[in-house]
Amino acid sequence: MSTFSDLGLKEPINKALRDLGYEKPTVIQEKAIPQIISSSDDLKAFAQTGTGKTAAFSLPIIELADETSTATQAIILSPTRELAVQIGRNIEEFSKYLPNLKVVTVYGGSNIDQQIRQLKRGAQIVVGTPGRTVDLIKRRALKLNTVKWLVLDEADEMLNMGFKDELDKVLEATPDTKQTLLFSATFPREVESIARNYMSNPVEVTSGQKNQGSDNVSHESYFVTERNRYQALKRIADVNPNIYAIVFCRTRRETQEVADKLIQDGYNADSLHGDLSQGQRDSVMEKFRKKNIQMLVATDVAARGLDVNSLTHVINHKLPDQIENYNHRSGRTGRAGNKGVSIALVNRKEKGKLRPIERILKKKFVDKEIPTGEEICKKQLFHLIDKVENTEINTTKIDAFLPSIYEKLEEFSREELIKKFVSLEFNSFLSYYENAPDLNNMPSRDRDDRRSGGRMSNENMSRFFINLGRKDKLNPAKLMGLINEQGIDKNVEIGAIDILDTFSFFEIDKNFESQTLDAFASNNSDFNGRRVNVEITKERKGGRRSGGSGGGRRRGDSPNRGFGRSRNNDKFQGKKNNNRKFDRRSK
Ligand code: AMP
């Protein structure tokens, strides 16, 4: 079979699919659509996100729904608000030439009275998150006794998120005669038990091997230490100038910290996690969809509802606690026929998690080296040249200025001009990565990591007192900025930072002790109107270690330094909120 009409769908639906640019059914659609249309048997479908599963369950329901009745005929449950909205939107698009077919989407965090009013008007299809659906059933605003189809989308995720009781309640509210369609990317024990308890002899369809990753995704692992995990992330971003990625973190705090650091370093990044308000989340997702954000740092749950097909990378800043979730994460890339790369940053302890993941994926991770400064510079240079090659010339606007430009540049040869403009764009890059260490060969890295949580060990550090504290609005980032401004050696390691109320402490590689003291003394710097005074301390004083990032740092990694700053000025790498699309012309 090769077209949607071959699958038994009526012309108004086919027309809507043509409008959407759907030419051929995907594997799961080819298998599930005729099955659901022709049989009332329950269905268990193994489908990753991105395989076209929404259309696989929605289209046969739209095909079979009775438009002449406004009773609820289908209830579709999805784990997150975003996914529910996406499904509702898809169903509206698929049914746009069926004017009497109505869909209502219900979810928490939004006005329930309005949803009740919409339900009262009648809708054949209701899409909902489990909690709100149960709430509406209890209020008798949603009646499921006429339901013919129950869809459990991303069943594994709903159970992961603790919706077992809600699923049970919804299942109880639906008649035994309904057809249950269960879609899941993985089938852990809990999902199997739902299938066993609530479905009778389900037909199984799959869009590939059960639980197996997409063929379009390659998997790479980078060996990191806590000290260089963030630097490795930056280098991966730098060596992929067109990166469009989700960076997955395990906790909200880790998500916020990584995003903050990337933003400070001038990357086009933002965070998405449960501590943000719904409005903030919507706005971040919108920016990411529009590609105004290149790297979205997110928790697993927050990223569920994102329907983005063109991600180049998924980066596991930390691997998920449950290894099955790796599959979910990596399935965000390699969608809709595109190729994608899923990257795992792993330290020595985490390396052990790779094997079980490989067993699930039935694929091997390719061990990769963290890119060196030289590789990154080369990649960025040719990216720049490609951009120049593909830039369209705006003759009408430029022509008027050309005579005086030619006159000014007349003394330079072609070669000199090329060198000059490359240097103009590229010098900051070169200087940032000049002498950058090879992160793959850091000495005794794990021993240091374990002892100091990623910092250099104390005996290699000198501890300094500085006469500024929280009252002066000093924070770790600002203190690092201040240290950087002193012109101490570029690769100097900065250790623990303790910010107290009226003064603070910081550690610096012992080898740079006198250089640091001299630099502060001779620069006579001011900070928020106060003269800065730095002295060496011999013993470690009390005080909470401050600063979110915790790890040791090199000067070049601090805010407003080197590449970080250059990217802020870079014409295609706008800051967080500049709403400028990043340049993908040279793809
Ligand atoms: P889903 O797995 O339902 O999240 O779908 C992933 C993406 O593929 C969505 O953006 C769909 O719009 C798109 N899609 C689904 N089916 C097709 C198809 N047959 N042809 C082209 N795109 C599709």
Side-chain angles (χ1 to χ4, degrees), residues 4 21-26 29 48-55 83 86 90 94 307 309 335-336:
F4 282 101
Y22 288 22
E23 285 170 9
K24 280 196 316 204
T26 64
Q29 290 161 2
Q48 312 271 335
T49 46
T51 53
K53 64 187 169 60
T54 312
L83 193 57
Q86 186 62 45
N90 282 161
F94 299 151
D307 179 40
N309 288 336
R335 297 174 62 155

Side-chain angles (χ1 to χ4, degrees), residues 383-401:
H383 175 66
L384 170 67
I385 302 302
D386 282 347
K387 268 180 38 178
V388 171
E389 205 182 342
N390 294 320
T391 296
E392 279 177 32
I393 297 172
N394 186 336
T395 331
T396 44
K397 287 267 157 48
I398 291 178
D399 272 0
F401 301 106

Side-chain angles (χ1 to χ4, degrees), residues 62-186:
I62 297 171
E63 171 71 31
L64 299 173
D66 177 3
E67 279 180 82
T68 60
S69 156
T70 52
T72 304
Q73 296 162 41
I75 172 80
I76 299 169
L77 291 182
S78 106
T80 63
R81 168 199 151 122
E82 286 79 12
L83 193 57
V85 169
Q86 186 62 45
I87 295 170
R89 218 181 273 154
N90 282 161
I91 293 175
E92 275 170 13
E93 288 167 346
F94 299 151
S95 62
K96 71 176 183 186
Y97 296 116
L98 298 169
N100 296 321
L101 196 109
K102 299 276 179 268
V103 57
V104 168
T105 306
V106 297
Y107 43 82
S110 184
N111 188 318
I112 196 163
D113 296 326
Q114 196 185 338
Q115 292 174 1
I116 292 174
R117 278 197 296 278
Q118 286 177 321
L119 288 171
K120 272 211 179 109
R121 273 184 239 131
Q124 292 87 355
I125 303 175
V126 175
V127 186
T129 50
R132 179 55 61 97
T133 302
V134 169
D135 203 354
L136 288 162
I137 294 171
K138 281 188 187 151
R139 291 170 187 238
R140 298 179 193 284
L142 177 60
K143 299 192 184 69
L144 298 182
N145 54 325
T146 48
V147 154
K148 295 184 192 159
W149 300 278
L150 165 70
V151 181
L152 303 175
D153 188 27
E154 308 219 344
D156 49 353
E157 197 53 29
M158 285 198 277
L159 293 171
N160 268 344
M161 289 169 71
F163 286 132
K164 170 89 175 66
D165 289 350
E166 285 81 357
L167 290 196
D168 287 343
K169 288 204 176 84
V170 176
L171 283 155
E172 279 161 22
T174 52
D176 292 343
T177 49
K178 71 182 176 289
Q179 182 176 16
T180 302
L181 312 172
L182 185 148
F183 281 72
S184 203
T186 60

Side-chain angles (χ1 to χ4, degrees), residues 415-426:
E415 286 70 25
E416 280 169 329
L417 280 175
I418 292 177
K419 282 185 199 160
K420 266 182 183 290
F421 98 85
V422 168
S423 305
L424 177 73
E425 285 279 337
F426 203 54

Side-chain angles (χ1 to χ4, degrees), residues 341-354:
V341 182
S342 175
I343 287 176
L345 304 181
V346 287
N347 66 21
R348 207 162 63 160
K349 244 167 68 187
E350 293 159 344
K351 258 192 146 175
K353 281 188 169 180
L354 295 180

Side-chain angles (χ1 to χ4, degrees), residues 536-554:
I536 192 83
T537 66
K538 291 295 171 209
E539 61 182 303
R540 198 179 165 84
K541 302 222 171 82
R544 187 170 62 86
R545 221 179 76 54
S546 181
S549 58
R553 299 156 249 227
R554 283 181 195 280

